[in-house]
Amino acid sequence: MVNIIWVLLTLIGLVFAMIHGTMEEVNEAIFKGASEAVTLCIGLISVLVFWLGIMRIAEEAGLLTKLSLLFRPIVTKIFPEVPKDHPAMGYILSNMMANLFGLGNAATPLGIKAMEELKELNGGKNEASRSMVTFLAVNTSSITLIPTTVIAIRMNYNAASPTDIVGPTLIATCISAVGGILIDRYFYYRRSRKRKG
């Protein structure tokens, strides 16, 4: 569906440019945007490689395991249907740790694996379980200590202080995570009362 929307937006934009005689500006913007995208990607790769290396060192040193153990009691309360020793719990914790350090690219495959395990726990049904909905809310609004991608973008565009974003990001992601969990719980309990009533 998203692909169709993008194609339609592109076609509408091109038709509009042809009607108004601004195709030259559109072509210039396309090539300029492509050039900036390549520059941005190269800048992001360097920062992501650095932080992925730091994550690997933290993993080898056992820091991620300790952080996972620290967060496990909280996560088991957020996901009461998931057994503590189930692989889904490990993937959920790993996803949360990657998001905590702003490594969304590293968190994505872990999130997909977590969803696959949660679907298996749900009996392979296509309908999302309570845990799947909760995980989606938690993953989308995850708490971020170090927003590496945003810092990389700010560095790439020569921001005076690229790390100024750390404090506001931490506050915003804490609020969004708490809000996401509260909204998830509200709708879950409301649906549960309707089923009982």
Side-chain angles (χ1 to χ4, degrees):
M1 185 65 184
V2 174
N3 291 340
I4 294 168
I5 292 169
W6 278 112
V7 169
L8 286 173
L9 285 173
T10 304
L11 291 174
I12 291 166
L14 289 172
V15 169
F16 186 82
M18 283 190 287
I19 291 169
H20 292 282
T22 56
M23 275 307 283
E24 192 176 320
E25 288 88 342
V26 170
N27 286 334
E28 189 180 321
I30 288 170
F31 290 113
K32 187 179 176 186
S35 173
E36 284 185 8
V38 170
T39 306
L40 183 62
C41 286
I42 291 168
L44 285 174
I45 287 169
S46 61
V47 173
L48 286 173
V49 166
F50 171 75
W51 281 109
L52 285 170
I54 294 291
M55 279 282 284
R56 185 75 179 165
I57 291 166
E59 185 181 9
E60 293 292 326
L63 180 63
L64 291 184
T65 307
K66 287 175 184 169
L67 278 170
S68 294
L69 289 172
L70 180 71
F71 281 94
R72 189 174 286 273
I74 299 165
V75 174
T76 52
K77 285 188 183 358
I78 295 172
F79 299 95
E81 298 86 15
V82 180
K84 291 179 184 179
D85 57 346
H86 195 275
M89 191 60 75
Y91 285 120
I92 289 168
L93 283 161
S94 298
N95 172 271
M96 289 176 76
M97 292 304 104
N99 277 324
L100 193 66
F101 292 104
L103 299 168
N105 295 342
T108 300
L110 296 167
I112 292 168
K113 288 297 289 178
M115 276 297 190
E116 286 172 358
E117 293 292 336
L118 289 171
K119 184 175 180 178
E120 192 179 302
L121 258 179
N122 195 31
K125 296 176 192 168
N126 286 329
E127 185 181 317
S129 67
R130 173 188 178 188
S131 296
M132 291 169 83
V133 172
T134 302
F135 178 66
L136 184 63
V138 168
N139 182 49
T140 306
S141 62
S142 61
I143 296 172
T144 306
L145 286 177
I146 306 161
T148 52
T149 306
V150 178
I151 291 170
I153 291 168
R154 287 170 58 86
M155 285 171 65
N156 204 40
Y157 285 100
N158 302 316
S161 183
T163 56
D164 278 354
I165 196 76
V166 173
T169 299
L170 182 59
I171 293 166
T173 56
C174 284
I175 292 168
S176 70
V178 170
I181 292 167
L182 289 175
I183 291 167
D184 170 65
R185 287 297 181 259
Y186 168 75
F187 282 106
Y188 171 74
Y189 288 120
R190 194 175 93 169
R191 193 168 54 245
S192 298
R193 278 200 303 272
K194 279 184 181 178
R195 283 179 187 163
K196 288 174 185 175

